[in-house]
Amino acid sequence: MALAIVGTLALSGCGGEDDEQTLTVLAAASLTETFTGLAEEFEAEHTGVTVRLAFDSSATLAQQALEGAPADVLATADGRTMDLAREALATEPRTFASNSLVLVAPTDGRTEVDGFDDVASGRASYVACVPTAPCGALWVALAADQQVDAQPVSLEVDVKAVLAKVVADEADAGVVYATDAVSAGPAVATLAIPGADAFTTTYPAAVLDQAREPGLAEEFVELLLSEVGRDVLDAAGFALP
């Protein structure tokens, strides 16, 4: 999948006959809804500019950045994965949001999940992110803190894949970010995880060394930190720095 994404970026990074400027942004899957809206905002303010978004696990995107994928901006779901791509960064990462974990269950699921204890005890099955993804690493730490022995029935590549499993009622519950619960709307019931407030993840963004549009890339990062960006992120359920 990583190779396919890099190939797509290579094609999308090429300018068309009209020399339209293209800004390519690599972003964590949990930023899908917010960055889609902010990309539209950016295009509206920059005539002739197209923003192309590639969403995936932060670890995958960091590796692509290191391998020279033709992209301008990298935004990850934690500082650890951003650090993995440090050799590919042209600017210091800037933190623009933070997030925490919640439990979600299908609103009309086959198994009734009343609270976190149902998952912690093993009565209800659950899915989570792979430990290499920020959402997975955060869950490993939180689960240890809460002494959760029950293991997930599957580990997904990113938080959107976890949410998809829950919405499709392929698992009784799933561990996702608070913002993903917001984006799912009435399709899921949201349940608090004890101690989650003490285990948050921060979202940094930086311009890449290989950026073909470094000026536009810096403007996009500035948008994330602007009042417009903060309003969009806040509405989606992110906490702000």
Side-chain angles (χ1 to χ4, degrees):
M1 180 176 289
L3 290 175
I5 293 173
V6 171
T8 300
L9 290 175
L11 291 174
S12 65
C14 299
E17 292 180 359
D18 57 358
D19 292 327
E20 181 183 75
Q21 289 178 288
T22 299
L23 181 73
T24 302
V25 180
L26 306 180
S30 52
L31 294 167
T32 299
E33 291 81 14
T34 50
F35 270 39
T36 298
L38 288 170
E40 293 174 356
E41 178 75 24
F42 194 84
E43 289 175 344
E45 295 295 324
H46 295 77
T47 303
V49 173
T50 297
V51 179
R52 298 193 185 279
L53 302 168
F55 298 106
D56 209 320
S57 165
S58 293
T60 297
L61 297 176
Q63 185 60 38
Q64 288 177 4
L66 281 174
E67 293 172 354
D72 301 283
V73 176
L74 174 65
T76 63
D78 71 353
R80 176 181 62 88
T81 46
M82 181 62 78
D83 284 342
L84 293 176
R86 182 159 291 277
E87 291 184 6
L89 305 184
T91 63
E92 280 298 310
R94 302 176 71 181
T95 298
F96 61 90
S98 62
N99 219 338
S100 57
L101 296 176
V102 297
L103 193 69
V104 291
T107 302
D108 299 314
R110 60 195 172 196
T111 302
E112 184 176 349
V113 180
D114 295 320
F116 178 70
D117 286 344
D118 290 335
V119 164
S121 66
R123 188 189 76 79
S125 66
Y126 76 97
V127 291
C129 296
V130 293
T132 53
C135 51
L138 199 61
W139 169 241
V140 169
L142 180 53
D145 179 74
Q146 294 298 312
Q147 300 180 333
V148 177
D149 293 325
Q151 296 298 308
V153 293
S154 72
L155 294 171
E156 305 301 321
V157 66
D158 59 43
V159 74
K160 290 301 183 187
V162 172
L163 185 63
K165 284 259 188 180
V166 174
V167 171
D169 199 16
E170 294 177 9
D172 299 331
V175 179
V176 301
Y177 291 126
T179 52
D180 297 293
V182 171
S183 70
V188 300
T190 303
L191 307 167
I193 300 177
D197 288 345
F199 292 83
T200 59
T201 188
T202 57
Y203 288 69
V207 178
L208 291 171
D209 270 337
Q210 60 264 38
R212 298 179 181 181
E213 302 290 349
L216 287 175
E218 182 59 38
E219 287 187 52
F220 188 86
V221 174
E222 290 289 345
L223 173 61
L224 303 179
L225 298 161
S226 71
E227 184 176 349
V228 171
R230 289 171 66 85
D231 285 347
V232 170
L233 291 161
D234 180 61
F238 286 95
L240 305 176

